[in-house]
Amino acid sequence: MTGAGGAFKQVLVDTGAGGQLAGLVLGFGLTPIVLGYVLAVIIRVAQGSATVAMITAAGMTAPLLAGQDMTGFAQALVVIAIAAGASALSHVNDSGFWLVNRIFGLSEAATLKTWTVSTTLLSITGLIACLALGVFA
């Protein structure tokens, strides 16, 4: 899965699609924390895997941040925001969704109401924490 995520990231980079998507999101004037988060959420929803979303969003965000003067703490917050974004909106394309579904014997609807909502709340909490800590970065 991790190798596939790296390959997917490289396809996005090599074709220019990743740069276009990152540029589009960056065009909205987002902070680096929000940029990494949004890219991770978009990728997570599009293909399902949190691991692939993190690897891909990091690969797309890194070149955009390279020219910015950021402290190590600020860079760490971007990394955490990417991880938080990759945790959002777990759905039927996510193996974790099915793991929770089967272990707890839930229906798909019940898994969406519990697991998906809880991962999304976790994700939003992570973003809020990064934004709050970003004031000190």
Side-chain angles (χ1 to χ4, degrees):
M1 182 61 78
T2 304
F8 181 59
K9 182 262 317 173
Q10 199 59 46
V11 167
L12 289 174
V13 170
D14 289 349
T15 62
Q20 289 178 348
L21 178 59
L24 175 69
V25 174
L26 193 58
F28 290 112
L30 302 177
T31 67
I33 290 172
V34 176
L35 170 68
Y37 179 85
V38 168
L39 287 172
V41 169
I42 290 169
I43 296 161
R44 164 66 164 195
V45 171
Q47 56 72 43
S49 168
T51 304
V52 173
M54 281 187 269
I55 292 168
T56 306
M60 293 167 59
T61 305
L64 298 173
L65 301 180
Q68 296 192 16
D69 184 30
M70 295 179 71
T71 66
F73 182 65
Q75 292 172 357
L77 291 175
V78 173
V79 171
I80 294 168
I82 289 171
S87 300
L89 299 167
S90 175
H91 58 85
V92 296
N93 282 358
D94 178 21
S95 59
F97 176 92
W98 292 109
L99 180 72
V100 169
N101 173 274
R102 297 296 183 234
I103 287 176
F104 294 107
L106 301 171
S107 67
E108 286 80 8
T111 309
L112 286 167
K113 290 177 185 175
T114 56
W115 179 248
T116 302
V117 170
S118 66
T119 60
T120 303
L121 288 172
L122 171 78
S123 172
I124 293 168
T125 302
L127 174 63
I128 291 169
C130 287
L131 291 171
L133 290 169
V135 172
F136 303 106

